[in-house]
Amino acid sequence: MARRQRVIDDDQKLELLRRMEAGETVSKLADEVGIGRQRLYEWRDHLRLYGNLKSRRRGRPARTAGFDGAAQLQSAVDVPSPQEKALSKARRRIRELEQKVGQQQLDLDFFREALRHFEEDQRRSSAPGETASSKSSKR
């Protein structure tokens, strides 16, 4: 059964964003109104970029009786603003850096484990009674 999407008006959105900025947890707010946390962040970003909460319609543009090719095409093309481009670029860079940090953490874990094995081997080879000084005195 398909889940019906909840409709929240602009006043409710603004109130949620005010509470979010006041310090209430995003998870609590999202659960309270039955939406995902990401939706609250999208509203906040949209409000910061455009100064309003009017969302762009998604999906295919509605069919019109007369088709004015150039005008219809221009209205259908949604050119991102410089702020949207910068935000998108910043998010991409953050994802790249998070991946890099994750890979470095894996490398660090690998080398820590290798060092631990090396230190264990060193301790075993210099066991009590078999110290490096006693080995050299036997020669």
Side-chain angles (χ1 to χ4, degrees), residues 13-134:
K13 290 177 186 179
L14 283 172
E15 179 58 30
L16 289 169
L17 292 175
R18 279 190 202 104
R19 290 171 58 192
M20 185 173 135
E21 292 298 319
E24 288 190 49
T25 62
V26 177
S27 296
K28 179 184 159 228
L29 292 171
D31 290 343
E32 182 180 308
V33 293
I35 59 172
R37 292 178 316 135
Q38 186 62 33
R39 179 73 59 204
L40 286 168
Y41 290 118
E42 289 170 1
W43 292 342
R44 182 195 61 191
D45 293 344
H46 195 276
L47 182 64
R48 286 178 179 171
L49 283 173
Y50 301 108
N52 63 37
L53 290 169
K54 302 291 183 212
S55 60
R56 296 185 307 197
R57 293 191 60 134
R58 294 183 179 160
R60 183 178 287 174
R63 291 185 180 194
T64 57
F67 182 78
D68 178 13
Q72 189 74 12
L73 183 60
Q74 185 59 35
S75 67
V77 174
D78 189 18
V79 179
S81 70
Q83 291 102 349
E84 283 180 315
K85 287 181 183 179
L87 185 60
S88 176
K89 185 177 180 181
R91 285 184 176 147
R92 246 190 334 271
R93 182 68 177 143
I94 288 169
R95 274 195 305 273
E96 290 170 7
L97 291 173
E98 286 173 341
Q99 288 175 345
K100 194 176 225 180
V101 166
Q103 182 59 47
Q104 288 175 342
Q105 185 62 48
L106 289 174
D107 294 345
L108 183 61
D109 292 344
F110 171 80
F111 285 113
R112 281 183 179 155
E113 188 68 16
L115 179 61
R116 187 179 67 76
H117 286 293
F118 177 76
E119 288 172 342
E120 284 177 7
D121 289 344
Q122 286 292 84
R123 271 185 260 133
R124 280 191 209 121
S125 67
S126 61
E130 273 296 314
T131 61
S133 62
S134 67

